[in-house]
Amino acid sequence: MKSYQKLLLANKSWAAEQAEEDPTFFTKMAEGQSPEFLWIGCADSRAPADKITGTDPGQIFVHRNVANLVINTDLNMLSVLQYAVEVLKVKHVMVVGHYGCGGVKASLTNSNLGLINKWIRNIKDVYVKYQDELDSIDDMAEKTDRLCELNVVEQVKNLIKTSIIQKAWKSENSPYVHGLILDLKSGHINQIMEVEPGDYSVINPIFKFDL
Ligand code: CO
């Protein structure tokens, strides 16, 4: 049997199991979603949002890309963010990085990787911002992991720089913004940053809009 056929087979037994456990599971699922969380994570196959948080379908709205970046011209991410915040009214927006991230690793080299150079460029900018601290770390794995953390911090700031979050902070639905990091060696997720609704102290005032 081909490996992708195994996926479809596994799906059938999962669906049967769910229906047996809770006969209303799929009826409820088909009715709609009201997740409390937006997860902006890395596309890495080892960082699946629901599996590692023990959550069920319907609980987390997910956007994933290489190295969990929040780029202010990325229509895909911004559309997900706007929908999550304005329509689904999520209470928590989370940037979830992970140690040993391939995208972050690549950003610390001079390799020419083609199209993805343009994406990785954004992480190089984070490196330059914290170059003094990062260059003081000799061990390459340690340096990469520190950049993984700093990258999360900068992406959280990028979220707060969006008019989407700033507008949401003016509304009744005022989401928290979190920076988290997954340790693949232990499976644990640790919080490295939490921004309360309406707290602009982590960004330069020039990024705050008159709303
Ligand atoms: Co990654």
Side-chain angles (χ1 to χ4, degrees), residues 41-47 65-68 97-104 148 184:
C42 183
D44 194 300
S45 61
R46 299 163 297 178
N65 62 41
V66 171
N68 42 270
H98 68 98
Y99 293 124
C101 181
V104 174
C148 289
L184 293 171

Side-chain angles (χ1 to χ4, degrees), residues 152-178:
V152 167
V153 169
E154 288 305 310
Q155 304 319 314
V156 166
K157 290 184 193 172
N158 286 345
L159 277 172
I160 296 165
K161 291 173 194 170
T162 65
S163 55
I164 297 169
I165 289 292
Q166 293 187 18
K167 229 176 100 193
W169 278 358
K170 287 250 167 196
S171 71
E172 270 175 42
N173 169 56
S174 221
Y176 279 79
V177 183
H178 306 263

Side-chain angles (χ1 to χ4, degrees), residues 20 25 67 74 121 155 158 200:
E20 202 184 297
F25 185 83
D74 178 2
R121 234 300 297 277
Q155 304 319 314
N158 286 345
Y200 288 96

Side-chain angles (χ1 to χ4, degrees), residues 68-195:
N68 42 270
L69 299 184
V70 175
I71 310 298
N72 73 335
T73 51
D74 178 2
L75 288 180
N76 185 353
M77 183 280 303
L78 291 170
S79 302
V80 169
L81 179 66
Q82 183 181 4
Y83 188 74
V85 167
E86 293 180 10
V87 181
L88 298 172
K89 301 191 189 308
V90 296
K91 295 185 176 74
H92 301 271
V93 179
M94 310 175 296
V95 174
V96 190
H98 68 98
Y99 293 124
C101 181
V104 174
K105 256 185 219 170
S107 78
L108 285 171
T109 73
N110 296 102
S111 305
N112 174 17
L113 302 165
L115 175 69
I116 202 169
N117 289 340
K118 298 174 194 348
W119 193 253
I120 300 286
R121 234 300 297 277
N122 297 287
I123 318 172
K124 289 182 189 276
D125 288 339
V126 177
Y127 163 74
V128 170
K129 194 167 178 185
Y130 296 96
Q131 187 165 12
D132 288 348
E133 180 193 338
L134 289 162
D135 283 357
S136 72
I137 306 169
D138 290 329
D139 183 76
M140 205 51 205
E142 212 180 297
K143 187 193 289 234
T144 304
D145 285 350
R146 181 61 184 142
L147 183 53
C148 289
E149 293 177 347
L150 294 168
N151 181 47
V152 167
V153 169
E154 288 305 310
Q155 304 319 314
V156 166
K157 290 184 193 172
N158 286 345
L159 277 172
I160 296 165
K161 291 173 194 170
T162 65
S163 55
I164 297 169
I165 289 292
Q166 293 187 18
K167 229 176 100 193
W169 278 358
K170 287 250 167 196
S171 71
E172 270 175 42
N173 169 56
S174 221
Y176 279 79
V177 183
H178 306 263
L180 306 168
I181 194 138
L182 165 68
D183 183 352
L184 293 171
K185 290 178 184 157
S186 67
H188 292 158
I189 300 170
N190 293 313
Q191 177 162 276
I192 49 179
M193 192 174 184
E194 180 183 79
V195 183

